[in-house]
Amino acid sequence: MLITGRHRQWLTLSLLLILLLTFLHNAAAAPSDEDDDVESFEDPVDIEDGSIENLPTNITSDPPAPTVDASPPPPTTAPPSIPPPPPPPSPPPASSPRPLPTVPSGILKAGTASPECAIIGDLYRATGPWQFVPDTTNCCNAEYPNSSGIKCNAQGQIIYIYLAGQGLSGTLPESLGSLTGLRYLLLYYNNLSGPIPSSLTNLPLFILDLSHNRLTGSLPSSGAGWAGLGTLNLEANALTGSIPEWLTTLPSLHSLAIGQNFFTTNDPIPLFTFNVQPSANGTVLSNIPANTHPETYVPPSSVFLENFVRLPKLRQLKLDSLGISGGFPVSWEHQMVNLTKLDLSNNSMQGLIPGYLNGFVGLKTLLLDRNEFGGAIPALDNLRSLAVLDLAYNQLSGPLPPWGAGLNLTILNLSNNLLSGPLPYDNRHHWRTCSVASNYFVCTKGPAQVLSDKWKSDCRAMCSDAQETVPNVRPPINTTLAGIKVHQTHNAAAEITIQWSIIAIMALPLFMFV
């Protein structure tokens, strides 16, 4: 069909619209400096062939810092630092399944003498088949599909294994402990089960990430070889037992994530809970003693949290969903002042949020949501690097702090507390995501009413014309209110703009032949 003048006009307008949409999409998807600091643990470093050959063969007491911020993207996002692997090949017909290799035939690449590749064969037989497609550019060849997830140094030692989100299942073989040059082991977001091999503690690892699997059992009894370990991420497994002493004395550890497990904390069981829950017949269950209020109750300090003051280089600590109880230890005031990220969310902590947190001037992420903290929100005006603050689902009372608008926050969540009083007279906040819903605020009237309206539109604020009676404890949780997502453990890769190009190509015929 010939393209008439009218069709050309449609085509021109269509192309302009596509270019505009692509520009807006790129602008929205482009990562900002603030986003880089928001709630992220170290992702795998991008090791190129040249840098691999130059890696040290001996461990020093202070391992090199990874090149990107220090726990897992959801399986639906691409691994952040390493280019994503090609899509997996189509599965063979059900009538002729491809058997797993039983011998490492052809696993060595021509010209590379690396007997350690036989251990990759052990790993493949124990946890395969993997989703990676063959890639002959690596030190272990394509008999076991390893893509760019396995790298060696110039001496033929395997120093890097990155198989995150690749469908690994089964148990890890003890023979991994024979890879004496292994520095990076990243197997997060798989379906691995069984215990952590004790042989791994003999390896000179810099980063170990086994998070988001189904690992069970207790931690190894010794960490003798981990003097250079900088990042340890074991969160979201089913690990049990007490925290061994060696874990809290690692001299180089700067990032630790062990939340969402079943460790024994040795904290005393709370005598009561402020977080009341409705019973089956609609009444509210509570065992709170008379004249006991969240803002005045002083609990004993958490025994579990005392363990971590002995980690001299610790910067990032994630201990969410471990059943920690009690209050902040006094020892944290001076021993933990260098933290940049702290996640104690979804525990059973009580008492006041300590004012000494205002001295943690390097703090970028503070997650204390879903506990039982009471009293006023302390001053945090010195935390100029703070990007994420989540204090939701506690028993916090009093007014919104006036210093909030002066911080460089990108995410603020103070919802589901006992906060009250007028909404602050400020219009300076530039938060990307904000919620102060389910509190007890008073609407601003008169010329400043526009400020209340901005709190409502930007931060889901709810207010009344007169101050409502504020209860002693927060009512049962409002589960109908959509939450805001701030809990992420690995940096997500940027979206690929080609999706818009595909849409544009598909849409062109529609405009050309109207």
Side-chain angles (χ1 to χ4, degrees), residues 298-369:
V298 181
S301 295
S302 168
V303 177
F304 186 72
L305 294 183
E306 290 278 4
N307 292 317
F308 302 97
V309 300
R310 297 177 291 176
L311 293 168
K313 296 188 177 181
L314 191 63
R315 298 295 180 269
Q316 303 190 56
L317 182 61
K318 292 185 85 271
L319 302 174
D320 55 307
S321 307
L322 289 176
I324 301 171
S325 63
F328 274 86
V330 175
S331 60
W332 274 40
E333 180 173 2
H334 302 292
Q335 301 296 327
M336 305 293 280
V337 70
N338 293 320
L339 286 178
T340 61
K341 174 180 180 179
L342 177 61
D343 184 355
L344 297 175
S345 60
N346 198 31
N347 282 294
S348 300
M349 298 187 67
Q350 298 173 330
L352 301 177
I353 297 175
Y356 63 64
L357 292 181
N358 201 24
F360 292 19
V361 294
L363 203 61
K364 299 178 181 180
T365 299
L366 179 59
L367 306 176
L368 302 179
D369 54 290

Side-chain angles (χ1 to χ4, degrees), residues 34-43 69-73 235 257 260 316-320 340-345 364-369 385-390 410-411 432 485-492:
E34 292 176 333
D35 292 349
D36 291 340
D37 293 331
V38 172
E39 182 60 25
S40 61
F41 248 59
E42 288 179 356
D43 280 320
D69 256 352
S71 144
E235 72 176 3
Q260 302 174 56
Q316 303 190 56
L317 182 61
K318 292 185 85 271
L319 302 174
D320 55 307
T340 61
K341 174 180 180 179
L342 177 61
D343 184 355
L344 297 175
S345 60
K364 299 178 181 180
T365 299
L366 179 59
L367 306 176
L368 302 179
D369 54 290
S385 298
L386 193 65
V388 179
L389 177 62
D390 193 343
T410 58
I411 296 178
R432 186 181 69 203
K485 183 178 181 181
V486 298
H487 295 264
Q488 167 192 328
T489 47
H490 288 89
N491 288 325

Side-chain angles (χ1 to χ4, degrees), residues 115-149:
E116 290 190 346
C117 289
I119 298 175
I120 300 302
D122 293 342
L123 179 62
Y124 184 74
R125 284 186 290 270
T127 64
W130 308 334
Q131 295 176 11
F132 276 144
V133 297
D135 184 343
T136 59
T137 63
N138 302 288
C139 53
C140 292
N141 206 351
E143 179 68 25
Y144 300 103
N146 50 64
S147 188
S148 58

Side-chain angles (χ1 to χ4, degrees), residues 65-83:
T67 58
V68 294
D69 256 352
S71 144
T76 56
T77 61
S81 299
I82 294 180

Side-chain angles (χ1 to χ4, degrees), residues 85-98:
S90 301
S95 58
S96 58
R98 181 181 179 182

Side-chain angles (χ1 to χ4, degrees), residues 103-393:
V103 292
S105 171
I107 194 171
L108 297 181
K109 191 173 77 170
T112 301
S114 181
E116 290 190 346
C117 289
I119 298 175
I120 300 302
D122 293 342
L123 179 62
Y124 184 74
R125 284 186 290 270
T127 64
W130 308 334
Q131 295 176 11
F132 276 144
V133 297
D135 184 343
T136 59
T137 63
N138 302 288
C139 53
C140 292
N141 206 351
E143 179 68 25
Y144 300 103
N146 50 64
S147 188
S148 58
I150 300 172
K151 294 184 181 293
C152 298
N153 60 13
Q155 292 73 40
Q157 289 181 304
I158 295 175
I159 60 170
Y160 181 91
I161 299 177
Y162 176 71
L163 297 171
Q166 298 303 314
L168 277 68
S169 60
T171 60
L172 294 174
E174 286 283 347
S175 58
L176 282 176
S178 301
L179 299 175
T180 56
L182 191 63
R183 300 297 195 267
Y184 304 91
L185 180 58
L186 303 115
L187 305 177
Y188 58 85
Y189 270 113
N190 282 295
N191 198 32
L192 297 169
S193 57
I196 298 173
S198 59
S199 61
L200 293 184
T201 60
N202 299 323
L203 301 179
L205 291 168
F206 291 159
I207 297 179
L208 175 61
D209 194 336
L210 304 177
S211 62
H212 292 264
N213 280 283
R214 297 190 298 117
L215 299 174
T216 56
S218 58
L219 296 181
S221 58
S222 171
W226 286 357
L229 188 65
T231 297
L232 178 61
N233 189 350
L234 302 175
E235 72 176 3
N237 280 285
L239 298 170
T240 56
S242 299
I243 300 298
E245 183 176 359
W246 62 261
L247 179 58
T248 61
T249 56
L250 293 174
S252 302
L253 193 67
H254 55 78
S255 301
L256 176 64
I258 58 174
Q260 302 174 56
N261 280 289
F262 302 101
F263 293 120
T264 302
T265 66
N266 295 320
D267 283 338
I269 299 176
L271 300 177
F272 57 88
T273 175
F274 289 117
N275 293 338
V276 296
Q277 297 292 336
S279 64
N281 60 7
T283 61
V284 174
L285 302 177
S286 175
N287 58 352
I288 304 173
N291 301 319
T292 301
H293 305 290
E295 67 272 17
T296 58
Y297 178 65
V298 181
S301 295
S302 168
V303 177
F304 186 72
L305 294 183
E306 290 278 4
N307 292 317
F308 302 97
V309 300
R310 297 177 291 176
L311 293 168
K313 296 188 177 181
L314 191 63
R315 298 295 180 269
Q316 303 190 56
L317 182 61
K318 292 185 85 271
L319 302 174
D320 55 307
S321 307
L322 289 176
I324 301 171
S325 63
F328 274 86
V330 175
S331 60
W332 274 40
E333 180 173 2
H334 302 292
Q335 301 296 327
M336 305 293 280
V337 70
N338 293 320
L339 286 178
T340 61
K341 174 180 180 179
L342 177 61
D343 184 355
L344 297 175
S345 60
N346 198 31
N347 282 294
S348 300
M349 298 187 67
Q350 298 173 330
L352 301 177
I353 297 175
Y356 63 64
L357 292 181
N358 201 24
F360 292 19
V361 294
L363 203 61
K364 299 178 181 180
T365 299
L366 179 59
L367 306 176
L368 302 179
D369 54 290
R370 290 169 173 79
N371 279 282
E372 301 185 26
F373 292 115
I377 299 174
L380 299 174
D381 50 305
N382 289 335
L383 307 185
R384 294 299 176 178
S385 298
L386 193 65
V388 179
L389 177 62
D390 193 343
L391 306 178
Y393 295 99

